[in-house]
Amino acid sequence: MTASWYGEPEPHGFHPKGMDWIRIVARGLPLAVLVFGGLIVLLLLRLIERPIFGIKRPLTPHITQFVCRMAFVILGIPFKAIGMPMREKGAVVANHAGWLDIFTLNAKKRVYFVSKSEVANWPGIGWLARATGTVFINRDRREAKGQVELFRDRLSAGHKLLFFPEGTSSDSRRVLPFKSTLFAAFFTPQLREFMWVQPVTVRYIAPQGADPRFYGWWGDMDFAPHLVQTLAARRQGRVELVYHVPIKVSEFESRKDLAAYCETAVRDGLGDLNVETP
């Protein structure tokens, strides 16, 4: 993911003090043990799973899902899912508010993120992404055919691939325009006839009295200060995940039509949280 949307000024920096540090340690330490402990268990299990099942991952995704659910318990953030994840083979497209999306979108349904190749080399996040089966792609037309084949193989194996069509994260209060180019691969002959797409809205409700954009991560925000602010919150807000009705790619004439439909569904899901995008 990348925090590069600059639509509005960022909130002032957070400076923990007093009881903030107790909450940071009380939540941060268990969260670190959970995430990295889960990673170790996942990697060990993958040593057995990979030679037996290959591209299919019938076991390790359960670890990822458990870690993501428990993360909200540790953080003290209530989590609620509305609607049902699709059963059909295909992709999920969602709005992108920040690093918490990783936990949010994995907590209810096992998904595999599609990310730019540079993320694979990021310290910490890159290791986690590779271990959990993230699909890395290069923005190079010469590799487009190979990427479509990769998508087909993963989708045929029953993997739900998750795309962020906005291309960046925002302040959690709006849906940025969806880039239709990200939908182009869905319309290739290898994918169009069997592929479904489910729009999903991620809703972050800030703690009472806090900036409504509390959970958003954008602009020049650094990861560590934003994590510390989240850990230090005296009272947390809540997270809601809205699953919209899945649609079949072959029912749309073009990638632009499909992108517009998904964007509208995801934006409508924000409801009263949505503000106009500049």
Side-chain angles (χ1 to χ4, degrees), residues 2 14 23 42 49 93 112 144 147 149-151 188 230-231:
T2 173
F14 172 71
R23 287 188 290 270
L42 186 150
E49 181 186 57
V93 295
Y112 297 87
Q147 290 172 0
E149 292 176 352
L150 176 59
F151 291 161
T188 59
T230 305
L231 293 172

Side-chain angles (χ1 to χ4, degrees), residues 240-252:
E240 297 177 352
L241 200 57
V242 183
Y243 289 97
H244 301 284
V245 177
I247 64 278
K248 196 171 185 181
V249 172
S250 59
E251 296 177 354
F252 292 81

